[in-house]
């Protein structure tokens, strides 16, 4: 499987899955997302009110573009979807970093309502997604032979699995950061 063909598909799957989860979660709590926009940006309430559904629509459009590109093997659609995803992720990352630097202590609601406060893990998660999207976008500029259907399927499944890890980066990092607590006396 040539990397020039595989990387855009894998990146497209990661970015599409990320935005799909994000869009669905935001639709389920559009008022909460609107409130987050007012907390994280200098936008007035009335502008934030129409910005929330517009952002969800943009995420859904990128998901459709990336999914169509992956399913149909349309490299141009994947490249366009990744380019749009990179731009959107860059904006999200800047907003999250600004909010974190200002000491915002609410959740980002990036993937729905959460009790977890905004942290640097959220910024790092977005930087990772930016790297994946950017690498896929760059690789999509190289001509590559089409992938076999099984290869595409494997890349999509891998991309979805990676997305789960990236979305829950803070939780994964905290679990790995703590030492494993074993009570050897109870084990015997």
């Amino acid at each position: 499987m040539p990397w020039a063909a595989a990387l855009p598909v894998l990146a497209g799957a990661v970015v599409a899955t990320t935005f799909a989860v994000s869009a669905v979660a935001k639709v389920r709590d559009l008022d909460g997302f609107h409130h987050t926009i007012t907390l994280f940006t200098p936008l007035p309430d009335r502008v934030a009110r129409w910005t929330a559904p517009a952002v969800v629509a943009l995420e859904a459009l990128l998901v459709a573009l990336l999914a169509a590109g992956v399913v149909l093997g349309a490299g141009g659609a994947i490249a366009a979807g990744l380019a749009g995803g990179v731009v959107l992720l860059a904006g999200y990352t800047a907003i999250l970093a600004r909010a974190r630097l200002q000491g915002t202590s609410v959740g980002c609601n990036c993937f729905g309502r959460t009790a977890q406060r905004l942290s640097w893990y959220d910024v790092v998660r977005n930087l990772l997604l930016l790297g994946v999207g950017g690498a896929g976008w760059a690789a999509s500029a190289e001509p590559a032979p089409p992938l076999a259907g099984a290869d595409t399927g494997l890349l999509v499944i891998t991309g979805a699995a990676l997305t789960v890890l990236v979305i829950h980066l803070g939780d994964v990092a905290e679990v790995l950061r703590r030492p494993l607590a074993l009570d050897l006396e109870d084990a015997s």
Side-chain angles (χ1 to χ4, degrees):
M1 173 179 351
W3 272 107
L7 188 53
V9 172
L10 178 63
V14 169
V15 173
T17 305
T18 300
F19 284 142
V21 171
S22 175
V24 168
K26 288 172 182 155
V27 163
R28 292 183 65 188
D29 186 18
L30 201 55
D31 287 337
F33 180 51
H34 160 252
H35 181 67
T36 301
I37 292 172
T38 61
L39 293 174
F40 285 14
T41 70
L43 294 175
D45 184 69
R46 66 184 172 91
V47 175
R49 185 152 310 277
W50 66 260
T51 300
V55 166
V56 171
L58 181 57
E59 287 181 347
L61 175 67
L62 290 172
V63 169
L65 188 59
L66 287 164
V70 168
V71 169
L72 301 174
I78 294 172
L82 287 171
V86 164
V87 170
L88 191 56
L89 283 164
Y92 286 167
T93 305
I95 290 167
L96 290 177
R98 178 180 174 269
R100 185 68 187 107
L101 288 169
Q102 291 177 337
T104 300
S105 63
V106 297
C108 80
N109 294 331
C110 301
F111 300 100
R113 187 174 299 234
T114 179
Q116 293 179 339
R117 296 171 187 239
L118 178 65
S119 75
W120 287 111
Y121 290 132
D122 297 308
V123 176
V124 170
R125 175 201 61 227
N126 279 23
L127 289 172
L128 288 171
L129 289 168
L130 267 169
V132 168
W137 182 23
S140 70
E142 299 295 320
L147 292 171
D151 291 339
T152 300
L154 179 62
L155 290 167
V156 168
I157 291 168
T158 302
L162 288 172
T163 302
V164 171
L165 289 174
V166 172
I167 286 174
H168 297 288
L169 178 66
D171 295 329
V172 171
E174 285 301 313
V175 165
L176 295 176
R177 192 173 69 92
R178 292 187 201 124
L180 184 59
L182 294 177
D183 188 355
L184 297 178
E185 289 180 23
D186 288 342
S188 47

